[in-house]
């Protein structure tokens, strides 16, 4: 752990450095006697924690400890700030900055240890939350509608046994969670065939094949199905088209004039998307 210590009183700074340097989990202690040098460091460097004297003065005499903490948070958001001071009356203002701790001088090893343990606990919690978020994102089905339609799970392409099953899934994504009847699917997927028992049987087989593909991936709950109708659960997919429709600027910028390019029934949506892009511009 890299720790910054700042105090304009050299004796206090030496004592603080000695206490921090005695901690097994502190690899490096960087000391500064003024706010300007501290800011210069954080412009190019990082630290896990900063122990700051709240009463630091610039050459003009301006109280600067709180200002320095705010600047450190701006330059290094992951740095935990602990105030070290002989003036407890500044505690309220300090905690408005969401600092990690507040120690009253003289700094004892016990007090510093307590603050470091809290910082370590916070960093572990943040790391676990980040890992959990990554796991959740990896467990979601990612759908690419711009360009050719593609599906990914855990960053790998999803392979369908039947190409028509993939097209069926594409149409459900296109309908944005609306329930789609078997008759509608037949009209879209087999537009050149008259709806009849043969076509209806093929649709049922395609639905079964599609669901089997996602069940094998560990995503059996991706669909809502009732008698004669099926829909996709939109909250379980990460889709560029859905992000586009919600106004996400990154998704709008990703659109390059193609939407599910391999499917003729998707062509009419391109005009709408072009209109949205033109309005944004």
């Amino acid at each position: 752990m890299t720790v910054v210590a700042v105090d304009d009183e050299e004796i206090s700074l030496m004592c603080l450095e000695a206490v921090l340097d005695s901690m097994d989990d502190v690899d490096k202690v960087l000391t500064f006697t003024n706010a300007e040098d501290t800011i210069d460091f954080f412009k190019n460097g990082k630290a896990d924690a900063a122990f700051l004297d709240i009463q630091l003065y610039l050459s003009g005499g301006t109280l600067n400890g709180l200002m320095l903490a705010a600047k450190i948070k701006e330059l290094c958001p992951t740095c935990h700030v602990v105030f070290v001071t002989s003036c407890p009356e500044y505690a309220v203002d300090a905690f408005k900055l969401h600092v990690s701790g507040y120690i009253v001088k003289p700094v004892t090893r016990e007090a510093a240890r307590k603050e470091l343990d809290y910082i370590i606990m916070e960093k572990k919690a943040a790391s676990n939350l980040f890992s959990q978020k990554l796991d959740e994102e990896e467990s979601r089905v990612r759908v690419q509608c711009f360009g050719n339609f593609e599906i990914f799970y855990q960053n790998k392409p999803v392979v369908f046994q039947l190409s028509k099953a993939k097209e069926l899934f594409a149409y459900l994504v296109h309908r944005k969670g609306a329930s789609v009847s078997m008759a509608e699917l037949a009209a879209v997927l087999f537009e050149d065939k008259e709806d009849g028992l043969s076509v209806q049987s093929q649709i049922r087989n395609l639905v079964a094949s599609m669901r089997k593909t996602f069940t094998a991936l560990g995503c059996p709950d991706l669909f809502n199905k009732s008698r004669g109708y099926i829909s996709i659960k939109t909250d379980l997919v990460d889709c560029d088209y859905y992000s586009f429709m919600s106004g996400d600027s990154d998704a709008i910028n990703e659109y390059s004039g193609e939407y599910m390019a391999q499917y003729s029934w998707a062509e009419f949506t391109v005009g709408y998307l072009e209109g949205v892009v033109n309005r944004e511009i």
Side-chain angles (χ1 to χ4, degrees), residues 66-95:
L66 296 172
M67 295 166 57
L68 176 59
K71 189 64 177 178
I72 289 174
K73 282 291 189 181
E74 177 187 331
L75 295 172
C76 185
T78 59
C79 182
H80 292 254
V81 174
V82 177
F83 278 119
V84 181
T85 182
S86 55
C87 302
E89 63 266 25
Y90 294 119
V92 174
D93 291 333
F95 284 108

Side-chain angles (χ1 to χ4, degrees), residues 8-34:
D8 54 6
E9 296 180 359
E10 291 191 11
I11 294 178
S12 295
L13 183 59
M14 290 173 61
C15 293
L16 177 58
E17 180 184 12
V19 168
L20 294 173
D21 202 37
S22 69
M23 305 294 179
D24 292 337
D25 38 26
V26 174
D27 303 309
K28 183 187 297 184
V29 180
L30 302 171
T31 60
F32 300 95
T33 58
N34 60 75

Side-chain angles (χ1 to χ4, degrees), residues 121-178:
M121 180 184 68
E122 286 286 293
K123 285 186 174 292
K124 285 183 178 178
S127 178
N128 291 338
L129 185 62
F130 180 72
S131 297
Q132 180 182 349
K133 184 178 179 181
L134 285 180
D135 291 341
E136 290 175 354
E137 288 178 352
E138 286 189 355
S139 68
R140 289 164 65 89
V141 174
R142 181 168 66 86
V143 176
Q144 173 188 302
C145 296
F146 299 155
N148 281 335
F149 179 78
E150 299 295 344
I151 310 102
F152 303 88
Y153 183 71
Q154 294 183 343
N155 296 321
K156 297 179 181 179
V158 175
V159 179
F160 291 79
Q161 289 185 328
L162 302 172
S163 61
K164 278 290 184 183
K166 179 179 178 180
E167 184 177 358
L168 189 158
F169 182 71
Y171 189 73
L172 294 181
V173 171
H174 172 74
R175 297 286 277 115
K176 304 191 296 290

Side-chain angles (χ1 to χ4, degrees), residues 2-6 30 32 34-52 68-81:
T2 298
V3 178
V4 165
V6 186
L30 302 171
F32 300 95
N34 60 75
E36 293 93 330
D37 290 344
T38 308
I39 292 171
D40 285 343
F41 164 77
F42 276 103
K43 285 180 179 178
N44 299 301
K46 293 182 179 180
D48 297 292
F51 285 70
L52 312 179
L68 176 59
K71 189 64 177 178
I72 289 174
K73 282 291 189 181
E74 177 187 331
L75 295 172
C76 185
T78 59
C79 182
H80 292 254
V81 174

Side-chain angles (χ1 to χ4, degrees), residues 246-266:
S246 68
D248 182 89
S249 59
D250 290 335
I252 293 173
N253 290 331
E254 285 177 10
Y255 175 70
S256 59
E258 290 186 322
Y259 172 78
M260 298 190 183
Q262 67 265 54
Y263 304 129
S264 59
W265 48 261

